[in-house]
Amino acid sequence: MRTFVAAADMGRFQDAADELAITQQAVSKRVAALERALGVRLFARTARGAKLTVDGQAFLPHARDLLRAEERAVDSVRPGRRALRVDVIGRRLAPADLVRDFHRAHPGIELDVVTLFDADAAIDAIRSGTVDASFRAVTRGQLPAGIGADRAFDEPIQLLVGPGHQLADASAVTPAELVGHRIWMPGIVAGTEWAAYYGDLAAAFGLTIEVTGPDFGVKPLLDTLADSPSLATFVGELTGFGWPADQGLRRIAVKDPTPVYPHSLLWHRDNAHPALAALRGHHVSGSGGLSGAGTWTPAWA
Amino acid sequence: MRTFVAAADMGRFQDAADELAITQQAVSKRVAALERALGVRLFARTARGAKLTVDGQAFLPHARDLLRAEERAVDSVRPGRRALRVDVIGRRLAPADLVRDFHRAHPGIELDVVTLFDADAAIDAIRSGTVDASFRAVTRGQLPAGIGADRAFDEPIQLLVGPGHQLADASAVTPAELVGHRIWMPGIVAGTEWAAYYGDLAAAFGLTIEVTGPDFGVKPLLDTLADSPSLATFVGELTGFGWPADQGLRRIAVKDPTPVYPHSLLWHRDNAHPALAALRGHHVSGSGGLSGAGTWTPAWA
DNA sequence: GGGGCCGCACAACCGATCGTTGTGGCAGTC
DNA sequence: GACTGCCACAACGATCGGTTGTGCGGCCCC
């Protein structure tokens, strides 16, 4: 592909060969192989060089695109000049949407979104420079030296139930009213900050949260919820807008107090990546913390 | 690259190998080679398969982009389902800008822009199905059967002169006033419809148009014009907005009559490409022909 | 118009690469 | 503690890709 582009630019196979530091015959063979693979003739060979055919002209910009894509791919893992790498707790959860918003607001900034195991892994990755920023709920004051944290936003937790659930018609519930109800949250992996948050939430109000069962994904969870008169689950207020058909599922606000999930933006103080400042500025100015009267967060947050 | 994506999707090298119809060992070698080339580890090998590392997660979307780019490139030359292929007289002339406008108005329609030698080559290409549409000035009534033509738009011709030219301060000139002036148009290739148009223009009004000299591109032409008190050139009204600094060059309208260049959109009546109808509709509705009182076109147009 | 030159294609050779079979090692699991 | 599943390493064979050497066909120019 690179040979084709070089030959098209130069207009002569020999010049392309010089640029690529190979022989003219090698260029000829490469182009011939490409033409054979595509099934079309890309160059019209003349006595004065090689001019592009119509197919070649149409193919050329796509070939350039391919080379650019390759360059971006290589750069994405090249230390030093690589895109801003942001860890989110899940690709379908609220922080991922925020990163998407940021990307829309700053289309010129290259972003790579990754998902690490938990907050500890994220902190390690930030310390080692593997990632540049992370949206995680963390224990403030226990952060290693060099790691900074902005309380990016607090996401209120809602109850998600099927249409036949006992609470389906409630406009809002209090945590105390949830005592005794079965709250099912497969996919919460033990040891993560997710598990710590919901564990503390359950302990604080005497709730029953089942984390048993393998996680088959969002769809089966929603299907099960929709058909169950007793199962409920917690979901973030900003989470799930891309989910499949809701089958009559109801979102019920939780109040008095409202549990909020404390998303913080973590970064390394030594990280001079220019896009990092933009990301921090975007989210700090975007929304302040909601914590205060009427909300609940774990003591460690 | 395809192996990497397959392995990332499947989570196990063996499954990726099955999908690609190769052995697990081959997948292992390919991934190892890719990791060596990139200098980073893409997978964390476990006893239960291979999970992506952070670098692997960042790399994956770029790898997918690369595969998509490859698919688009191949499709661009695949007969049948390929992008709409439009010939323009020059990539920096008015029709190319119109095609760009069309692309902005219909971002979903894939376009490939090519440049053929002249109108005859364009007609041959349309007959053979090599291109789907062409903006060219053609002799109406002499088109082969099956070729349709819409008079897309008429582009008034202006005079371009340097700041020291005798006509630099004129607000408009008539063709009759240009008799005896040196009008220089390198880059006009004999035998093309360009040459026919300007040849007829010169003959109709007794002008002197020099087409001698090799064409070194737009920049040297503009440089020469800027420094010359006697050289002038013709340029389309819509042409040249992307040109480099104008060095005080003046555009002077031509009137009584105004020569207009008759851009037609050619296409094949048997061509059922869905985007072709959109292109025709876009340009026919965009602007009607200006020909009529006060304008001049060759008799054949 | 014919010799010379320029530029690409074909042929033969050779080294490198890629995929295969066979095997080993490591980590969970019963 | 043996088993199972999964990936890595080793050796071999076929294919691929690059190089040298040569042929062929247009332009150019004398």
Side-chain angles (χ1 to χ4, degrees):
Chain A
M1 198 66 80
R2 201 179 304 280
T3 305
F4 164 74
V5 172
D9 287 341
M10 297 285 147
R12 271 195 300 270
F13 284 13
Q14 182 61 60
D15 294 350
D18 294 343
E19 183 161 301
L20 300 172
I22 56 177
T23 62
Q24 166 267 320
Q25 289 86 336
V27 173
S28 177
K29 279 180 77 169
R30 286 186 181 181
V31 170
L34 182 60
E35 288 177 329
R36 189 156 21 86
L38 294 174
V40 298
R41 181 153 279 250
L42 296 173
F43 285 99
R45 279 77 163 170
T46 75
R48 264 229 234 288
K51 277 189 63 66
L52 287 173
T53 64
V54 175
D55 284 317
Q57 288 189 43
F59 187 71
L60 179 58
H62 299 283
R64 291 192 204 276
D65 285 346
L66 194 71
L67 296 183
R68 271 192 293 269
E70 185 231 4
E71 190 179 1
R72 276 198 303 272
V74 172
D75 282 349
S76 73
V77 295
R78 171 135 40 191
R81 55 165 166 178
R82 65 147 199 257
L84 189 73
R85 195 177 285 180
V86 184
D87 159 67
V88 293
I89 186 169
R91 282 203 157 73
R92 308 193 150 195
L93 302 181
D97 292 333
L98 287 195
V99 173
R100 260 188 287 275
D101 289 342
F102 173 75
H103 183 243
R104 265 188 271 270
H106 303 266
I109 296 180
E110 295 279 332
L111 283 178
D112 285 321
V113 177
V114 300
T115 301
L116 299 174
F117 177 69
D118 67 352
D120 290 336
I123 290 171
D124 286 346
I126 290 174
R127 290 179 63 181
S128 68
T130 314
V131 306
D132 300 303
S134 174
F135 282 96
R136 290 285 173 175
V138 290
T139 304
R140 314 182 68 143
Q142 279 197 3
L143 288 173
I147 304 281
D150 294 326
R151 184 73 159 265
F153 68 104
D154 288 353
E155 184 181 13
I157 301 300
Q158 299 180 330
L159 195 70
L160 189 68
V161 297
H165 193 275
Q166 308 158 19
L167 297 172
D169 295 325
S171 64
V173 298
T174 66
E177 292 169 350
L178 294 176
V179 173
H181 281 89
R182 296 180 62 200
I183 298 173
W184 187 44
M185 300 197 72
I188 296 283
V189 181
T192 65
E193 82 276 14
W194 262 104
Y197 177 87
Y198 283 104
D200 284 9
L201 176 61
F205 298 99
L207 307 183
T208 308
I209 296 184
E210 307 171 24
V211 299
T212 60
D215 178 25
F216 293 116
V218 169
K219 186 74 168 25
L221 167 63
L222 298 183
D223 289 344
T224 305
L225 279 180
D227 296 337
S228 167
S230 61
L231 279 182
T233 195
F234 282 133
V235 65
E237 178 187 80
L238 301 176
T239 299
F241 287 97
W243 284 355
D246 58 3
Q247 304 153 308
L249 292 173
R250 313 281 170 86
R251 286 174 177 266
I252 299 168
V254 182
K255 63 174 186 181
D256 300 328
T258 298
V260 297
Y261 192 89
H263 297 284
S264 288
L265 179 62
L266 312 180
W267 79 99
H268 200 290
R269 298 190 198 278
D270 295 342
N271 189 332
H273 199 300
L276 179 57
L279 181 68
R280 287 188 57 199
H282 187 261
H283 286 109
V284 167
S285 68
S287 60
L290 292 178
S291 61
T295 66
W296 175 91
T297 52
W300 45 264
Chain B
M1 199 66 80
R2 201 179 305 280
T3 304
F4 165 74
V5 172
D9 287 340
M10 296 284 145
R12 272 194 300 269
F13 284 13
Q14 182 61 61
D15 294 351
D18 294 342
E19 182 161 302
L20 300 171
I22 56 177
T23 62
Q24 166 266 318
Q25 288 87 337
V27 173
S28 177
K29 282 180 75 170
R30 285 186 181 181
V31 170
L34 181 60
E35 288 176 328
R36 187 155 24 86
L38 293 173
V40 298
R41 181 152 280 252
L42 296 173
F43 286 99
R45 279 76 164 172
T46 75
R48 264 229 235 289
K51 277 189 63 64
L52 287 173
T53 64
V54 174
D55 283 319
Q57 287 188 43
F59 187 72
L60 179 58
H62 299 282
R64 291 192 205 276
D65 285 345
L66 194 71
L67 296 183
R68 270 192 293 269
E70 186 230 5
E71 189 179 1
R72 275 199 304 272
V74 172
D75 282 349
S76 72
V77 296
R78 173 137 37 193
R81 55 161 166 183
R82 66 147 197 256
L84 190 73
R85 194 177 285 178
V86 184
D87 159 67
V88 294
I89 187 170
R91 281 202 157 75
R92 309 192 147 192
L93 302 181
D97 293 332
L98 286 195
V99 174
R100 261 188 287 274
D101 290 342
F102 174 75
H103 183 243
R104 266 188 271 271
H106 303 267
I109 296 180
E110 296 278 333
L111 283 178
D112 285 321
V113 177
V114 299
T115 301
L116 299 174
F117 177 68
D118 67 353
D120 289 336
I123 290 171
D124 286 345
I126 290 174
R127 290 179 63 182
S128 69
T130 314
V131 307
D132 301 303
S134 174
F135 282 96
R136 290 286 173 175
V138 290
T139 303
R140 315 184 68 145
Q142 279 198 4
L143 288 173
I147 305 281
D150 295 325
R151 184 74 159 262
F153 67 104
D154 288 353
E155 184 182 14
I157 301 300
Q158 299 179 331
L159 196 71
L160 190 68
V161 297
H165 193 273
Q166 309 159 19
L167 297 172
D169 295 324
S171 64
V173 297
T174 65
E177 292 169 350
L178 293 176
V179 173
H181 281 88
R182 296 181 62 200
I183 297 173
W184 187 43
M185 299 198 73
I188 296 284
V189 180
T192 66
E193 82 276 16
W194 264 104
Y197 177 87
Y198 284 103
D200 284 10
L201 176 61
F205 298 99
L207 307 183
T208 308
I209 297 185
E210 307 171 23
V211 298
T212 60
D215 179 23
F216 293 116
V218 169
K219 186 76 168 24
L221 167 63
L222 298 183
D223 289 344
T224 305
L225 280 179
D227 296 337
S228 167
S230 61
L231 278 181
T233 194
F234 282 132
V235 65
E237 179 187 79
L238 302 176
T239 299
F241 287 99
W243 284 354
D246 59 3
Q247 305 153 308
L249 292 174
R250 313 282 169 85
R251 287 173 176 265
I252 300 168
V254 183
K255 64 174 185 180
D256 300 328
T258 298
V260 296
Y261 192 88
H263 297 284
S264 288
L265 179 61
L266 311 181
W267 79 99
H268 200 290
R269 299 189 197 279
D270 295 342
N271 189 332
H273 200 299
L276 179 57
L279 181 69
R280 287 188 58 198
H282 187 261
H283 286 110
V284 168
S285 68
S287 60
L290 292 177
S291 61
T295 67
W296 175 92
T297 52
W300 45 263

